[in-house]
Amino acid sequence: MATTTLSKTERIDVRASISVKQLLQEAAHASHKSVSEFLLDAGINAANQALSDRRHFVLDEVQWEAFEQALDRPVQAKARLRRLITEFGVLD
C-alpha cells in the first residue's frame, strides 16, 4: 500500500528527541523520501505485520480438518484457567 496513492486528510503528530529526529531524517534522506513518507511507510508496514496473523492464516487440508475439529469440540471446564482469572494476582 503506497502512501502516494492514498488521500491524506488526517494528521498524526509525533514527539521525538533530537537524536531520534535526526536518525529519522537521515533514514528518510537515504531512502529518497520525506520524513513524513518514511514514517508513514514504516508505520503501515509495522501495522500490517502486527495485524497479519490476526487477519489471515493459511492451513493445508490436514491442518484445516484439525482446526475444524477443535472448533467443533464441546466446551470443557478448565479449573486452572478459572483459578487464574478469579484469584488475585500481580496486578491486583
Side-chain angles (χ1 to χ4, degrees):
M1 181 183 310
T3 57
T4 56
T5 62
L6 299 175
S7 174
K8 298 176 186 173
T9 60
E10 300 297 319
R11 182 174 187 83
I12 300 172
D13 296 316
V14 178
R15 297 212 179 270
S17 66
I18 292 172
S19 60
V20 168
K21 181 180 178 181
Q22 289 172 341
L23 176 65
L24 293 170
Q25 287 172 327
E26 288 177 34
H29 181 72
S31 300
H32 306 288
K33 297 179 181 180
S34 69
V35 173
S36 291
E37 289 171 325
F38 182 82
L39 287 173
L40 196 53
D41 285 347
I44 289 169
N45 288 335
N48 282 328
Q49 184 176 358
L51 297 174
S52 66
D53 66 336
R54 297 171 188 220
R55 292 183 178 165
H56 180 76
F57 60 98
V58 179
L59 303 174
D60 63 28
E61 192 171 326
V62 173
Q63 293 169 323
W64 179 255
E65 289 294 326
F67 179 67
E68 282 187 319
Q69 288 175 8
L71 290 176
D72 291 339
R73 212 175 312 149
V75 176
Q76 299 175 9
K78 306 262 192 252
R80 290 174 51 198
L81 179 59
R82 179 173 301 285
R83 188 172 62 246
L84 177 67
I85 62 175
T86 57
E87 290 182 354
F88 289 108
V90 176
L91 301 177
D92 295 324

Coordinates of all heavy atoms in Angstrom, one line a residue:
M1 N 0.8 -1.2 0.0 CA 0.0 0.0 0.0 C 0.9 1.2 0.0 O 1.5 1.6 1.0 CB -0.9 0.0 1.3 CG -1.8 1.1 1.3 SD -2.8 1.2 2.9 CE -3.5 -0.5 2.9
A2 N 1.0 1.9 -1.1 CA 1.9 3.1 -1.2 C 1.2 4.3 -0.7 O 0.0 4.5 -0.8 CB 2.3 3.3 -2.7
T3 N 2.0 5.1 0.0 CA 1.4 6.3 0.7 C 1.0 7.3 -0.4 O 0.1 8.1 -0.1 CB 2.3 6.9 1.6 OG1 3.6 7.2 1.0 CG2 2.6 6.0 2.8
T4 N 1.6 7.3 -1.6 CA 1.2 8.3 -2.6 C -0.1 8.0 -3.2 O -0.6 8.9 -3.9 CB 2.3 8.3 -3.7 OG1 2.5 6.9 -4.2 CG2 3.7 8.7 -3.1
T5 N -0.7 6.8 -3.1 CA -2.0 6.5 -3.7 C -3.2 6.8 -2.8 O -4.3 6.7 -3.2 CB -2.0 5.1 -4.2 OG1 -1.9 4.2 -3.1 CG2 -0.9 4.8 -5.2
L6 N -2.9 7.1 -1.6 CA -4.0 7.4 -0.6 C -4.2 8.9 -0.4 O -3.3 9.7 -0.4 CB -3.6 6.8 0.8 CG -3.3 5.3 0.8 CD1 -2.8 4.8 2.2 CD2 -4.6 4.5 0.4
S7 N -5.5 9.2 -0.2 CA -5.8 10.6 0.1 C -5.4 10.9 1.5 O -5.8 10.2 2.4 CB -7.4 10.7 -0.1 OG -7.7 12.0 0.3
K8 N -4.7 12.0 1.7 CA -4.2 12.3 3.0 C -5.0 13.4 3.6 O -4.8 14.6 3.3 CB -2.7 12.7 2.9 CG -1.8 11.6 2.4 CD -0.4 12.1 2.2 CE 0.4 11.0 1.6 NZ 1.7 11.4 1.2
T9 N -6.0 13.0 4.4 CA -6.9 14.0 5.0 C -6.7 14.2 6.5 O -7.2 15.1 7.1 CB -8.3 13.6 4.8 OG1 -8.6 12.4 5.4 CG2 -8.6 13.6 3.3
E10 N -5.9 13.3 7.1 CA -5.7 13.3 8.6 C -4.3 13.6 8.9 O -3.4 13.3 8.2 CB -6.1 11.9 9.2 CG -7.5 11.5 9.0 CD -8.5 12.5 9.6 OE1 -8.3 12.9 10.7 OE2 -9.5 12.8 8.9
R11 N -4.1 14.1 10.1 CA -2.7 14.5 10.6 C -2.4 13.6 11.8 O -3.2 13.4 12.7 CB -2.7 16.0 11.0 CG -1.4 16.4 11.4 CD -1.4 18.0 11.6 NE -0.1 18.5 11.9 CZ 0.8 18.8 11.0 NH1 0.5 18.7 9.7 NH2 2.0 19.3 11.3
I12 N -1.1 13.2 11.9 CA -0.6 12.4 13.0 C 0.6 13.2 13.6 O 1.5 13.4 12.8 CB -0.2 11.0 12.6 CG1 -1.4 10.2 12.1 CG2 0.4 10.3 13.8 CD1 -1.0 8.9 11.5
D13 N 0.5 13.6 14.8 CA 1.6 14.3 15.4 C 2.4 13.4 16.3 O 1.9 12.6 17.0 CB 1.1 15.5 16.3 CG 0.3 16.5 15.5 OD1 0.8 16.9 14.4 OD2 -0.7 17.0 16.0
V14 N 3.8 13.5 16.2 CA 4.7 12.6 16.9 C 5.7 13.5 17.6 O 6.3 14.4 16.9 CB 5.4 11.6 16.0 CG1 6.3 10.8 16.7 CG2 4.3 10.8 15.3
R15 N 6.0 13.2 18.8 CA 7.1 13.9 19.5 C 8.3 13.0 19.6 O 8.1 11.8 19.9 CB 6.7 14.4 20.9 CG 5.5 15.4 20.9 CD 5.7 16.3 22.0 NE 4.6 17.3 22.0 CZ 4.7 18.5 21.4 NH1 5.8 18.8 20.7 NH2 3.7 19.3 21.4
A16 N 9.5 13.5 19.4 CA 10.7 12.7 19.5 C 11.8 13.5 20.0 O 11.8 14.8 19.9 CB 11.0 12.1 18.1
S17 N 12.9 12.8 20.5 CA 14.1 13.5 20.9 C 14.8 14.0 19.7 O 14.6 13.6 18.5 CB 15.0 12.6 21.7 OG 15.5 11.5 20.8
I18 N 15.8 14.9 19.9 CA 16.6 15.4 18.8 C 17.3 14.3 18.0 O 17.3 14.3 16.8 CB 17.5 16.5 19.3 CG1 16.8 17.8 19.7 CG2 18.6 16.9 18.2 CD1 17.6 18.8 20.4
S19 N 17.9 13.4 18.8 CA 18.6 12.3 18.2 C 17.8 11.4 17.4 O 18.2 11.0 16.3 CB 19.4 11.5 19.3 OG 18.5 10.9 20.2
V20 N 16.5 11.1 17.8 CA 15.6 10.3 17.1 C 15.2 11.0 15.8 O 15.1 10.4 14.7 CB 14.4 9.9 17.9 CG1 13.3 9.2 17.1 CG2 14.8 8.9 19.0
K21 N 14.9 12.3 15.9 CA 14.5 13.1 14.8 C 15.6 13.1 13.7 O 15.4 12.9 12.5 CB 14.2 14.5 15.2 CG 13.8 15.4 14.0 CD 13.4 16.8 14.4 CE 13.1 17.7 13.2 NZ 12.8 19.0 13.6
Q22 N 16.9 13.3 14.2 CA 18.0 13.3 13.2 C 18.2 11.9 12.5 O 18.4 11.8 11.4 CB 19.3 13.7 14.0 CG 19.3 15.1 14.3 CD 20.5 15.5 15.2 OE1 21.1 14.6 15.8 NE2 20.8 16.8 15.3
L23 N 18.0 10.8 13.3 CA 18.1 9.5 12.8 C 17.0 9.3 11.7 O 17.3 8.8 10.6 CB 17.9 8.4 13.9 CG 17.9 7.0 13.5 CD1 19.3 6.6 12.9 CD2 17.5 6.1 14.6
L24 N 15.8 9.7 12.0 CA 14.7 9.5 11.0 C 14.9 10.4 9.8 O 14.7 10.0 8.7 CB 13.4 9.9 11.7 CG 12.9 9.0 12.8 CD1 11.7 9.6 13.5 CD2 12.6 7.6 12.2
Q25 N 15.5 11.6 10.0 CA 15.8 12.4 8.8 C 16.9 11.8 7.9 O 16.7 11.8 6.7 CB 16.2 13.8 9.3 CG 15.1 14.7 9.8 CD 15.6 15.9 10.5 OE1 16.7 16.0 11.1 NE2 14.8 17.0 10.4
E26 N 17.9 11.2 8.6 CA 18.9 10.6 7.8 C 18.4 9.4 7.0 O 18.7 9.1 5.9 CB 20.1 10.1 8.7 CG 20.9 11.3 9.3 CD 22.0 10.8 10.3 OE1 22.5 9.7 10.1 OE2 22.3 11.5 11.2
A27 N 17.6 8.6 7.7 CA 17.0 7.4 7.1 C 16.1 7.8 5.9 O 16.1 7.1 4.9 CB 16.3 6.5 8.1
A28 N 15.3 8.8 6.1 CA 14.4 9.3 5.1 C 15.2 9.8 3.9 O 14.9 9.4 2.7 CB 13.5 10.4 5.6
H29 N 16.2 10.5 4.2 CA 17.1 11.0 3.1 C 17.7 9.9 2.3 O 17.8 9.9 1.1 CB 18.1 12.0 3.7 CG 19.1 12.5 2.6 ND1 18.7 13.5 1.7 CD2 20.4 12.3 2.3 CE1 19.7 13.8 0.9 NE2 20.7 13.1 1.3
A30 N 18.2 8.9 3.0 CA 18.8 7.7 2.4 C 17.8 6.9 1.6 O 18.2 6.3 0.6 CB 19.5 6.8 3.5
S31 N 16.6 7.0 1.9 CA 15.5 6.3 1.2 C 14.9 7.2 0.1 O 13.9 6.7 -0.5 CB 14.4 5.8 2.2 OG 14.9 5.0 3.1
H32 N 15.4 8.4 -0.1 CA 14.9 9.3 -1.0 C 13.4 9.6 -0.8 O 12.6 9.6 -1.7 CB 15.1 8.8 -2.5 CG 16.5 8.5 -2.8 ND1 17.5 9.4 -2.9 CD2 17.1 7.3 -2.9 CE1 18.6 8.8 -3.1 NE2 18.4 7.5 -3.2
K33 N 13.0 9.8 0.5 CA 11.7 10.1 0.9 C 11.7 11.3 1.9 O 12.7 11.6 2.5 CB 11.0 8.9 1.6 CG 10.9 7.7 0.8 CD 10.3 6.6 1.6 CE 10.1 5.3 0.8 NZ 9.6 4.2 1.6
S34 N 10.5 11.9 2.0 CA 10.4 12.9 3.1 C 10.3 12.2 4.4 O 10.0 11.0 4.4 CB 9.2 13.8 2.8 OG 8.0 13.0 3.0
V35 N 10.5 12.9 5.5 CA 10.3 12.2 6.8 C 8.9 11.7 7.0 O 8.7 10.6 7.4 CB 10.7 13.2 8.0 CG1 10.4 12.5 9.3 CG2 12.2 13.5 7.9
S36 N 7.9 12.5 6.5 CA 6.5 12.0 6.6 C 6.3 10.7 5.8 O 5.7 9.8 6.3 CB 5.6 13.1 6.1 OG 5.6 14.2 7.0
E37 N 6.8 10.7 4.6 CA 6.7 9.5 3.7 C 7.3 8.3 4.4 O 6.8 7.2 4.4 CB 7.2 9.7 2.4 CG 6.5 10.7 1.5 CD 7.2 11.0 0.2 OE1 8.4 11.1 0.2 OE2 6.5 11.2 -0.8
F38 N 8.6 8.5 4.9 CA 9.3 7.5 5.5 C 8.6 6.9 6.7 O 8.4 5.7 6.9 CB 10.7 8.0 6.0 CG 11.6 6.9 6.6 CD1 12.3 6.0 5.8 CD2 11.7 6.8 8.0 CE1 13.1 5.1 6.4 CE2 12.4 5.8 8.5 CZ 13.2 5.0 7.8
L39 N 8.1 7.8 7.6 CA 7.4 7.4 8.8 C 6.1 6.7 8.5 O 5.7 5.7 9.1 CB 7.1 8.5 9.7 CG 8.3 9.1 10.5 CD1 8.0 10.3 11.2 CD2 8.9 8.0 11.4
L40 N 5.3 7.2 7.5 CA 4.1 6.6 7.1 C 4.3 5.2 6.5 O 3.6 4.3 6.9 CB 3.3 7.5 6.2 CG 1.9 7.2 6.0 CD1 1.1 7.2 7.3 CD2 1.2 8.3 5.0
D41 N 5.2 5.1 5.6 CA 5.5 3.8 5.1 C 6.0 2.8 6.1 O 5.5 1.6 6.2 CB 6.6 3.9 4.0 CG 6.2 4.5 2.7 OD1 4.9 4.6 2.5 OD2 7.0 4.8 1.9
A42 N 6.8 3.2 7.0 CA 7.3 2.3 8.1 C 6.2 1.9 9.0 O 6.0 0.8 9.5 CB 8.5 3.0 8.9
G43 N 5.3 2.9 9.3 CA 4.2 2.7 10.2 C 3.2 1.7 9.6 O 2.6 0.8 10.3
I44 N 2.9 1.9 8.3 CA 2.0 1.0 7.6 C 2.5 -0.4 7.6 O 1.8 -1.4 7.8 CB 1.7 1.5 6.2 CG1 0.8 2.8 6.3 CG2 1.0 0.4 5.3 CD1 0.7 3.5 4.9
N45 N 3.8 -0.6 7.3 CA 4.4 -1.9 7.2 C 4.4 -2.5 8.6 O 4.0 -3.7 8.7 CB 5.9 -1.8 6.7 CG 6.0 -1.5 5.3 OD1 5.0 -1.8 4.5 ND2 7.1 -0.9 4.9
A46 N 4.7 -1.8 9.7 CA 4.7 -2.3 11.0 C 3.2 -2.7 11.4 O 3.0 -3.8 12.0 CB 5.3 -1.3 12.0
A47 N 2.3 -1.9 11.1 CA 0.9 -2.2 11.4 C 0.4 -3.4 10.7 O -0.3 -4.3 11.3 CB 0.0 -1.0 11.1
N48 N 0.7 -3.6 9.4 CA 0.3 -4.7 8.7 C 1.0 -6.0 9.2 O 0.3 -7.0 9.3 CB 0.7 -4.6 7.2 CG -0.3 -3.7 6.4 OD1 -1.5 -3.7 6.8 ND2 0.2 -3.0 5.5
Q49 N 2.2 -5.9 9.6 CA 2.9 -7.1 10.2 C 2.3 -7.4 11.5 O 2.1 -8.6 11.8 CB 4.4 -6.8 10.3 CG 5.2 -8.0 10.8 CD 6.7 -7.7 10.9 OE1 7.1 -6.6 10.5 NE2 7.4 -8.7 11.3
A50 N 2.0 -6.4 12.4 CA 1.5 -6.7 13.7 C 0.1 -7.3 13.6 O -0.3 -8.1 14.5 CB 1.4 -5.4 14.5
L51 N -0.7 -7.0 12.6 CA -2.0 -7.5 12.4 C -2.2 -8.7 11.5 O -3.3 -9.3 11.5 CB -2.9 -6.3 11.9 CG -3.1 -5.1 12.9 CD1 -3.9 -4.0 12.2 CD2 -3.7 -5.5 14.2
S52 N -1.1 -9.0 10.8 CA -1.3 -10.1 9.8 C -1.7 -11.4 10.3 O -2.6 -12.1 9.7 CB 0.0 -10.2 9.0 OG 1.0 -10.7 9.8
D53 N -1.2 -11.8 11.4 CA -1.6 -13.1 12.0 C -3.0 -13.1 12.6 O -3.5 -14.1 12.9 CB -0.6 -13.6 13.0 CG -0.5 -12.8 14.2 OD1 -0.9 -11.6 14.2 OD2 -0.1 -13.3 15.3
R54 N -3.6 -12.0 12.7 CA -4.9 -11.9 13.2 C -6.0 -11.8 12.1 O -7.1 -11.9 12.4 CB -5.1 -10.6 14.1 CG -4.2 -10.7 15.3 CD -4.1 -9.4 16.1 NE -3.1 -9.5 17.1 CZ -3.3 -9.0 18.3 NH1 -4.4 -8.4 18.6 NH2 -2.3 -9.0 19.2
R55 N -5.5 -11.5 10.9 CA -6.4 -11.3 9.8 C -6.4 -12.5 8.8 O -7.4 -12.8 8.2 CB -6.0 -10.1 9.0 CG -6.2 -8.8 9.7 CD -5.9 -7.7 8.9 NE -6.1 -6.4 9.5 CZ -5.6 -5.3 9.1 NH1 -4.9 -5.2 8.0 NH2 -5.9 -4.2 9.8
H56 N -5.3 -13.2 8.6 CA -5.2 -14.2 7.6 C -4.2 -15.3 8.0 O -3.1 -15.0 8.5 CB -4.6 -13.5 6.3 CG -4.5 -14.4 5.2 ND1 -5.5 -14.9 4.4 CD2 -3.3 -14.9 4.6 CE1 -5.0 -15.7 3.5 NE2 -3.7 -15.7 3.6
F57 N -4.6 -16.5 7.9 CA -3.7 -17.6 8.1 C -4.0 -18.7 7.1 O -5.2 -18.8 6.6 CB -3.7 -18.1 9.5 CG -5.0 -18.6 10.0 CD1 -5.3 -19.9 10.1 CD2 -6.0 -17.7 10.5 CE1 -6.5 -20.4 10.5 CE2 -7.2 -18.1 11.0 CZ -7.5 -19.5 11.0
V58 N -3.0 -19.5 6.8 CA -3.2 -20.5 5.7 C -2.9 -21.8 6.4 O -2.0 -22.0 7.1 CB -2.2 -20.2 4.6 CG1 -2.3 -21.3 3.5 CG2 -2.4 -18.9 4.0
L59 N -3.9 -22.8 6.1 CA -3.7 -24.1 6.6 C -3.8 -25.1 5.4 O -4.6 -24.9 4.5 CB -4.9 -24.4 7.6 CG -5.0 -23.5 8.8 CD1 -6.2 -23.9 9.6 CD2 -3.8 -23.6 9.7
D60 N -3.1 -26.2 5.5 CA -3.3 -27.2 4.5 C -4.5 -28.0 4.9 O -5.1 -27.8 5.9 CB -2.0 -28.1 4.3 CG -1.6 -28.8 5.6 OD1 -2.5 -29.2 6.4 OD2 -0.4 -29.1 5.8
E61 N -4.8 -29.0 4.1 CA -6.1 -29.8 4.3 C -6.1 -30.5 5.7 O -7.1 -30.4 6.4 CB -6.3 -30.8 3.2 CG -7.6 -31.4 3.2 CD -7.9 -32.2 2.0 OE1 -7.4 -31.9 0.9 OE2 -8.6 -33.2 2.1
V62 N -5.0 -31.1 6.1 CA -4.9 -31.8 7.4 C -5.0 -30.8 8.5 O -5.8 -31.0 9.5 CB -3.6 -32.6 7.5 CG1 -3.4 -33.2 8.9 CG2 -3.5 -33.7 6.4
Q63 N -4.3 -29.7 8.4 CA -4.4 -28.7 9.5 C -5.8 -28.1 9.5 O -6.3 -27.8 10.6 CB -3.4 -27.5 9.2 CG -2.0 -28.0 9.3 CD -1.0 -26.9 8.8 OE1 -1.3 -26.3 7.8 NE2 0.1 -26.8 9.5
W64 N -6.5 -27.9 8.4 CA -7.8 -27.4 8.4 C -8.8 -28.3 9.1 O -9.6 -27.9 9.9 CB -8.3 -27.1 6.9 CG -9.7 -26.5 6.9 CD1 -10.8 -27.2 6.5 CD2 -10.1 -25.2 7.3 NE1 -11.9 -26.4 6.7 CE2 -11.5 -25.2 7.1 CE3 -9.4 -24.1 7.7 CZ2 -12.2 -24.0 7.4 CZ3 -10.2 -23.0 8.0 CH2 -11.5 -22.9 7.9
E65 N -8.7 -29.6 8.8 CA -9.5 -30.6 9.5 C -9.3 -30.5 11.0 O -10.3 -30.6 11.8 CB -9.2 -32.0 9.0 CG -9.7 -32.2 7.6 CD -11.2 -32.2 7.4 OE1 -11.9 -32.7 8.3 OE2 -11.6 -31.8 6.3
A66 N -8.1 -30.5 11.4 CA -7.8 -30.4 12.9 C -8.3 -29.1 13.5 O -8.9 -29.1 14.6 CB -6.3 -30.5 13.1
F67 N -8.2 -28.0 12.7 CA -8.8 -26.7 13.2 C -10.3 -26.8 13.3 O -10.9 -26.4 14.3 CB -8.4 -25.6 12.2 CG -8.9 -24.3 12.5 CD1 -8.4 -23.6 13.6 CD2 -9.8 -23.7 11.7 CE1 -8.9 -22.3 13.9 CE2 -10.3 -22.4 11.9 CZ -9.8 -21.7 13.1
E68 N -11.0 -27.4 12.3 CA -12.4 -27.5 12.4 C -12.8 -28.4 13.6 O -13.8 -28.1 14.3 CB -13.0 -28.1 11.1 CG -13.1 -27.1 10.0 CD -13.8 -27.7 8.8 OE1 -13.5 -28.8 8.4 OE2 -14.6 -26.9 8.2
Q69 N -12.1 -29.5 13.8 CA -12.4 -30.4 14.9 C -12.3 -29.6 16.2 O -13.1 -29.8 17.1 CB -11.5 -31.6 14.9 CG -11.9 -32.6 13.8 CD -10.9 -33.8 13.7 OE1 -10.1 -33.9 14.5 NE2 -11.1 -34.6 12.6
A70 N -11.2 -28.8 16.4 CA -11.0 -28.1 17.6 C -12.2 -27.1 17.8 O -12.6 -26.9 18.9 CB -9.7 -27.4 17.5
L71 N -12.6 -26.5 16.7 CA -13.7 -25.5 16.9 C -15.1 -26.2 17.2 O -15.9 -25.6 17.9 CB -13.9 -24.7 15.5 CG -12.8 -23.7 15.2 CD1 -13.1 -23.1 13.8 CD2 -12.7 -22.6 16.2
D72 N -15.2 -27.4 16.7 CA -16.5 -28.1 16.9 C -16.5 -28.9 18.3 O -17.6 -29.3 18.7 CB -16.7 -29.2 15.8 CG -17.0 -28.5 14.5 OD1 -17.4 -27.3 14.5 OD2 -16.8 -29.1 13.4
R73 N -15.4 -29.0 18.9 CA -15.3 -29.7 20.2 C -16.1 -29.0 21.3 O -16.1 -27.8 21.3 CB -13.8 -29.7 20.7 CG -13.4 -30.9 21.5 CD -12.0 -31.0 21.8 NE -11.1 -30.7 20.6 CZ -10.0 -30.1 20.6 NH1 -9.4 -29.7 21.8 NH2 -9.3 -29.9 19.5
P74 N -16.8 -29.8 22.1 CA -17.6 -29.1 23.2 C -16.7 -28.4 24.2 O -15.6 -28.7 24.4 CB -18.3 -30.3 23.9 CG -18.1 -31.5 23.0 CD -16.9 -31.2 22.1
V75 N -17.3 -27.3 24.8 CA -16.5 -26.5 25.7 C -16.3 -27.4 27.0 O -17.1 -28.2 27.4 CB -17.4 -25.3 26.1 CG1 -16.7 -24.5 27.2 CG2 -17.7 -24.4 24.9
Q76 N -15.0 -27.3 27.5 CA -14.6 -28.0 28.7 C -14.3 -27.1 29.8 O -13.6 -26.0 29.5 CB -13.5 -28.9 28.3 CG -13.7 -30.0 27.3 CD -12.5 -30.8 26.9 OE1 -11.5 -30.6 27.6 NE2 -12.5 -31.6 25.9
A77 N -14.6 -27.4 31.0 CA -14.2 -26.6 32.1 C -12.7 -26.7 32.3 O -12.2 -27.8 32.2 CB -15.0 -27.0 33.4
K78 N -12.1 -25.6 32.6 CA -10.6 -25.6 32.8 C -10.4 -25.0 34.2 O -10.4 -23.8 34.4 CB -10.0 -24.7 31.7 CG -10.3 -25.1 30.3 CD -9.2 -25.9 29.7 CE -9.4 -26.1 28.3 NZ -9.8 -27.3 27.8
A79 N -10.2 -25.8 35.2 CA -10.0 -25.4 36.5 C -8.8 -24.4 36.7 O -9.0 -23.4 37.4 CB -9.8 -26.6 37.4
R80 N -7.7 -24.7 36.1 CA -6.6 -23.8 36.2 C -6.8 -22.5 35.6 O -6.4 -21.5 36.2 CB -5.3 -24.5 35.6 CG -4.8 -25.7 36.4 CD -3.7 -26.5 35.7 NE -2.6 -25.6 35.3 CZ -1.7 -25.9 34.4 NH1 -1.7 -27.1 33.8 NH2 -0.7 -25.1 34.1
L81 N -7.5 -22.4 34.5 CA -7.9 -21.2 33.9 C -8.8 -20.4 34.7 O -8.7 -19.2 34.9 CB -8.5 -21.4 32.5 CG -8.9 -20.1 31.7 CD1 -7.7 -19.2 31.5 CD2 -9.5 -20.5 30.4
R82 N -9.9 -21.1 35.3 CA -10.8 -20.4 36.2 C -10.1 -19.8 37.4 O -10.3 -18.7 37.8 CB -11.9 -21.3 36.6 CG -12.9 -20.7 37.6 CD -14.1 -21.6 37.9 NE -14.8 -22.0 36.7 CZ -15.7 -21.2 36.0 NH1 -15.8 -20.0 36.4 NH2 -16.3 -21.7 35.0
R83 N -9.2 -20.6 38.0 CA -8.4 -20.1 39.1 C -7.6 -18.9 38.7 O -7.5 -17.9 39.5 CB -7.5 -21.2 39.7 CG -6.9 -20.9 41.0 CD -6.2 -22.1 41.7 NE -5.1 -22.6 40.8 CZ -5.1 -23.8 40.3 NH1 -6.1 -24.6 40.5 NH2 -4.1 -24.2 39.5
L84 N -7.0 -18.9 37.6 CA -6.1 -17.8 37.1 C -6.9 -16.5 37.0 O -6.4 -15.5 37.4 CB -5.5 -18.2 35.8 CG -4.6 -17.1 35.1 CD1 -3.4 -16.9 35.9 CD2 -4.2 -17.5 33.7
I85 N -8.1 -16.6 36.4 CA -8.8 -15.4 36.2 C -9.7 -14.9 37.4 O -10.2 -13.8 37.4 CB -9.7 -15.5 35.0 CG1 -10.8 -16.6 35.1 CG2 -8.9 -15.7 33.7 CD1 -11.8 -16.6 33.9
T86 N -9.8 -15.8 38.4 CA -10.6 -15.4 39.6 C -9.7 -15.0 40.8 O -10.2 -14.3 41.7 CB -11.6 -16.5 40.0 OG1 -10.9 -17.7 40.3 CG2 -12.6 -16.7 38.9
E87 N -8.5 -15.5 40.9 CA -7.7 -15.2 42.1 C -7.0 -13.9 41.9 O -6.8 -13.4 40.8 CB -6.6 -16.3 42.3 CG -7.2 -17.6 42.7 CD -6.1 -18.7 42.9 OE1 -4.9 -18.4 42.6 OE2 -6.5 -19.8 43.4
F88 N -6.7 -13.3 43.0 CA -5.9 -12.1 43.0 C -4.5 -12.4 42.4 O -3.9 -13.4 42.7 CB -5.7 -11.4 44.4 CG -7.0 -10.8 44.9 CD1 -7.7 -11.4 45.9 CD2 -7.5 -9.7 44.3 CE1 -8.9 -10.9 46.4 CE2 -8.7 -9.1 44.8 CZ -9.4 -9.7 45.8
G89 N -4.0 -11.5 41.6 CA -2.7 -11.7 41.0 C -1.8 -10.5 41.2 O -1.9 -9.7 42.1
V90 N -0.8 -10.5 40.4 CA 0.2 -9.5 40.4 C -0.3 -8.1 40.2 O 0.1 -7.1 40.8 CB 1.3 -9.7 39.3 CG1 2.4 -8.6 39.3 CG2 2.0 -11.1 39.6
L91 N -1.3 -7.9 39.3 CA -1.9 -6.6 39.0 C -2.9 -6.1 40.0 O -3.3 -5.0 40.0 CB -2.6 -6.7 37.6 CG -1.7 -7.1 36.5 CD1 -2.4 -7.2 35.2 CD2 -0.5 -6.1 36.3
D92 N -3.3 -7.0 41.0 CA -4.3 -6.5 42.0 C -3.6 -5.8 43.1 O -2.6 -6.0 43.5 CB -5.1 -7.7 42.5 CG -6.0 -8.3 41.4 OD1 -6.5 -7.5 40.5 OD2 -6.1 -9.5 41.3

